[in-house]
Amino acid sequence: MSVYLGEFIGTMLLITLGGGVVAGVVLKGTISEGAGWLVIVVGWGLAVSFAIYAVGNISAAHINPAVTVGLAFIGEFPWNKVPGYVLSQILGAFVGGTIVWLHYLPHWGKTEDVGAKLGVFCTAPAIRSYAANFVSEMIATMVLVIGVLFVGANKLTEGLNPLVIGGLVMVIGLGLGGTTGFAINPARDFGPRLAHFLLPISGKGKSDWTYSWVPIIAPLLGGALGAALYRILFDQQMDLIYFAVVVLAVLSAVFAIVKDQQNKIKTQK
């Protein structure tokens, strides 16, 4: 099996199981309806673990463009394979979203909430503030990528790495996911969002493309940031490009703070 097919299958499994958990919780008439955020977070974490076990020995199971780009940024993955990996991940996520739609076919028509339907496929912020949402996704993905590098360097967890990384995703969801739904993966958000846009889902509403850039660009920057911080802090590599990414991330955070203060002033007037 090629590495690209491995990434396709791994990401497809991730979305089929992770998106399937969301569908079971938010769609009307399911047995698991209303099970809550904890079930969703645990489901996504276990979906990540299973996807890594499935294709880890084939493609290293990046299943996430932010991981692929982050590793390439620090020289741990060849740049010439990045486009193929990213395309495979997006296509796998699209097919995974399609499988979820098909599996829950009778429940779409019974669900009136268009936001809940969209939430099966992609993320949306709890409070829409693009700058703050961007920083939230950037921070969460930074934690993911630097955590993956920690796990890879720690022989203590060898053999259990997929479960440990699944646990990492769970704690990111619990600790950092309440703001934006923790996409932390451009393919996980874009592929199923595209499926939502194209599929004949009953009463589906709009696909919210105005927000879609946030869970694409922010995780890519967060992935590069996490990888750069790992190199700077733990490998003592002081390359200028690593510091440039850190500066860009800091500027993003400052911009978000300024926008938040401006919004507070507008609200008070």
Side-chain angles (χ1 to χ4, degrees), residues 112-214:
E112 296 180 359
D113 186 346
V114 296
K117 295 177 185 179
L118 180 61
V120 172
F121 295 89
C122 55
T123 59
I127 298 175
R128 189 169 296 251
S129 174
Y130 292 115
N133 303 151
F134 185 95
V135 171
S136 290
E137 284 290 333
M138 179 184 71
I139 291 172
T141 314
M142 174 201 71
V143 173
L144 172 67
V145 172
I146 200 170
V148 166
L149 290 168
F150 288 158
V151 172
N154 194 332
K155 301 302 181 184
L156 183 65
T157 62
E158 198 165 359
L160 297 174
N161 286 359
L163 292 176
V164 175
I165 293 172
L168 172 63
V169 170
M170 289 183 206
V171 77
I172 289 172
L174 292 172
L176 304 173
T179 53
T180 60
F182 78 118
I184 60 174
N185 182 337
R188 170 263 178 276
D189 198 274
F190 176 71
R193 192 185 297 270
L194 185 60
H196 177 274
F197 178 72
L198 295 175
L199 291 172
I201 302 167
S202 177
K204 65 180 178 180
K206 295 182 179 180
S207 301
D208 195 13
W209 290 107
T210 57
Y211 178 76
S212 65
W213 66 274
V214 173

Side-chain angles (χ1 to χ4, degrees), residues 16 28 38 49 72 112 120 153 172-173 175 230-231:
T16 300
K28 293 296 182 182
L38 182 59
S49 295
E112 296 180 359
V120 172
I172 289 172
Y230 182 86
R231 278 288 190 253

Side-chain angles (χ1 to χ4, degrees), residues 229-250:
L229 287 174
Y230 182 86
R231 278 288 190 253
I232 293 169
L233 297 174
F234 295 92
D235 292 336
Q236 284 78 54
Q237 293 186 13
M238 304 300 171
D239 291 7
L240 183 60
I241 193 168
Y242 297 158
F243 286 98
V245 169
V246 173
V247 170
L248 182 59
V250 170

